[in-house]
């Protein structure tokens, strides 16, 4: 294994590991190509702000996702002197080979909990996806690289509706049998609710207690951070988030952005948790990302500032009369 997640550096019981997925999950949906040097600058700025676990890119076919055609170049440009844990999504063995050559600390594989979404997303059945990961896991083991397993549409499918916890247990068990020890439940289309989050986490804890479960929420229906609070109550200590609220699945109708990294950090800090991240500096990065993307992004804290941020009396108009 090339490295450890940032949680290894912060063993305290109030530490929450934030996985920044904006450079992959956020950028992939943008139609206008983001210059490689801008991608590198954004990743390095987030590392400077204290983010220590980042999903930097995906080694997917450039034809499928042109935005991420520069995956190797971005990986090569990231400043690794501060010990950041850098991961990349790999869809198949060829992607895994490229990721290993680029020196990733972990490869992320994923399949959907529903057959319909898996077919739309990767044009395979769930069984075919899981079978293909055997070669990825073998290559990663030989290279000393960790594999993290993701489960998309974990809380609902836009084609099939409800996803039973048993479907998650099936995939989690297959991941465990491949030697994977960390998994993530993906709320790909923002269908998670507090009860479904609680049911999913408890089912996995009952059937695969040896696995470390993380959560990946979208804010499609406005309850992303509410779902985080449920995860915290269930003892989950790892959460994906995307800078400024970028993101959305290109293969699911109506799927808007991920929960926003700086909004999540604000919630956690105000709730007495530690992330190791400087919120003010992270908000600066979010505003920079907004300028690079060229439109208003969903993040709230980067606009409003921290709760106790003070303003001069002269900055605010006085009511007349």
């Amino acid at each position: 294994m090339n490295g450890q997640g940032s949680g290894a550096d912060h063993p305290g019981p109030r530490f929450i590991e934030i996985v920044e997925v904006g450079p992959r999950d956020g950028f992939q949906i943008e139609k206008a190509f983001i210059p490689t040097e801008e991608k590198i600058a954004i990743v390095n700025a987030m590392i400077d702000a204290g983010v220590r676990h980042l999903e930097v890119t995906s080694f997917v076919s450039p034809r499928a996702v042109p935005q991420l055609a520069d995956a190797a170049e971005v990986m090569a440009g990231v400043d690794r002197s501060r010990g950041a844990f850098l991961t990349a999504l790999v869809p198949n063995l060829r992607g895994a080979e490229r990721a290993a050559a680029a020196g990733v600390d972990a490869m992320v594989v994923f399949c959907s909990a529903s057959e319909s979404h898996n077919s739309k997303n990767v044009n395979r059945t769930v069984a075919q996806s899981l079978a293909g990961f055997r070669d990825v896991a073998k290559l990663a083991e030989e290279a000393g690289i960790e594999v993290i397993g993701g489960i998309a549409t974990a809380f609902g499918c836009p084609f099939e509706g409800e996803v039973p916890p048993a479907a998650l247990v099936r995939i989690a068990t297959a991941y465990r049998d491949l030697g994977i020890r960390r998994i993530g439940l993906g709320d790909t289309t923002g269908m998670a609710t507090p009860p479904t989050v609680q049911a999913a986490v408890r089912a996995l804890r009952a059937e695969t207690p040896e696995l470390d479960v993380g959560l990946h929420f979208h804010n499609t229906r406005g309850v992303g951070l509410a779902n985080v609070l449920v995860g915290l109550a269930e003892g989950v200590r790892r959460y994906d988030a995307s800078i400024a609220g970028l993101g959305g699945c290109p293969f699911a109708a109506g799927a808007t952005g991920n929960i926003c990294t700086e909004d999540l950090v604000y919630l956690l800090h105000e709730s007495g948790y530690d992330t190791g991240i400087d919120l003010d500096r992270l908000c600066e990065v979010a505003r920079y990302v907004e300028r690079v993307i060229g439109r208003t992004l969903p993040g709230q804290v980067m606009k409003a500032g921290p709760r106790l941020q003070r303003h001069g009396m002269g900055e605010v108009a006085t009511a007349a009369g």
Side-chain angles (χ1 to χ4, degrees):
M1 188 181 298
N2 289 351
Q4 297 291 331
S6 58
D9 301 324
H10 300 267
R14 302 295 289 180
F15 180 78
I16 303 299
E17 183 173 15
I18 304 297
V19 183
E20 174 55 58
V21 299
R24 195 280 300 173
D25 203 358
F27 289 168
Q28 72 175 3
I29 202 168
E30 295 298 318
K31 293 180 180 179
F33 186 77
I34 301 166
T36 302
E37 59 271 20
E38 292 281 23
K39 293 173 183 172
I40 294 170
I42 290 167
V43 171
N44 285 336
M46 286 192 285
I47 293 172
D48 288 342
V51 180
R52 287 294 177 267
H53 188 155
L54 303 98
E55 190 172 284
V56 175
T57 189
S58 173
F59 286 89
V60 66
S61 166
R63 293 188 302 277
V65 186
Q67 183 66 252
L68 304 181
D70 56 358
E73 291 83 357
V74 172
M75 279 293 304
V78 175
D79 178 6
R80 309 188 76 157
S81 65
R82 302 194 183 198
F85 188 76
L86 307 181
T87 73
L89 188 147
V90 299
N92 50 38
L93 181 60
R94 174 58 185 147
E97 291 169 344
R98 292 172 58 211
V104 301
D105 294 309
M107 301 177 188
V108 180
V109 299
F110 77 97
C111 67
S112 302
S114 74
E115 291 288 350
S116 299
H117 187 265
N118 207 65
S119 175
K120 280 288 184 183
N121 205 31
V122 295
N123 199 25
R124 290 184 175 188
T125 67
V126 171
Q128 287 171 334
S129 288
L130 292 171
F133 296 154
R134 286 196 288 267
D135 290 335
V136 173
K138 183 174 184 294
L139 181 149
E141 182 180 16
E142 292 172 351
I145 299 172
E146 181 182 0
V147 178
I148 299 171
I151 305 176
T153 60
F155 304 101
C157 171
F159 310 109
E160 298 178 22
E162 207 71 63
V163 171
L168 309 182
V169 170
R170 170 196 169 201
I171 297 173
T173 301
Y175 281 153
R176 180 196 63 195
D177 293 346
L178 290 174
I180 292 171
R181 290 298 172 261
R182 284 202 271 187
I183 65 170
L185 302 183
D187 181 25
T188 312
T189 59
M191 296 174 71
T193 62
T196 61
V197 173
Q198 184 183 72
V201 172
R202 290 186 177 183
L204 290 170
R205 290 270 165 79
E207 299 295 333
T208 54
E210 63 274 40
L211 296 181
D212 174 19
V213 177
L215 296 172
H216 174 117
F217 294 124
H218 286 229
N219 203 39
T220 308
R221 293 169 176 83
V223 295
L225 293 182
N227 291 327
V228 169
L229 292 175
V230 174
L232 291 169
E234 293 297 318
V236 177
R237 293 295 182 263
R238 175 166 46 89
Y239 296 88
D240 292 0
S242 181
I243 190 73
L246 280 169
C249 177
F251 305 107
T256 54
N258 300 51
I259 58 171
C260 173
T261 309
E262 60 274 15
D263 292 359
L264 174 60
V265 170
Y266 171 77
L267 171 69
L268 293 171
H269 289 183
E270 288 291 325
S271 302
Y273 293 97
D274 173 33
T275 65
I277 296 171
D278 184 318
L279 180 59
D280 289 333
R281 296 183 71 176
L282 190 65
C283 286
E284 291 176 6
V285 181
R287 290 188 286 268
Y288 174 55
V289 169
E290 190 171 67
R291 292 193 298 272
V292 170
I293 298 299
R295 68 175 186 278
T296 300
L297 296 176
Q300 297 297 303
V301 176
M302 70 173 177
K303 301 179 182 73
R307 179 172 66 92
L308 296 180
Q309 178 174 296
R310 299 189 181 189
H311 302 272
M313 291 290 287
E315 297 178 54
V316 182
T318 301

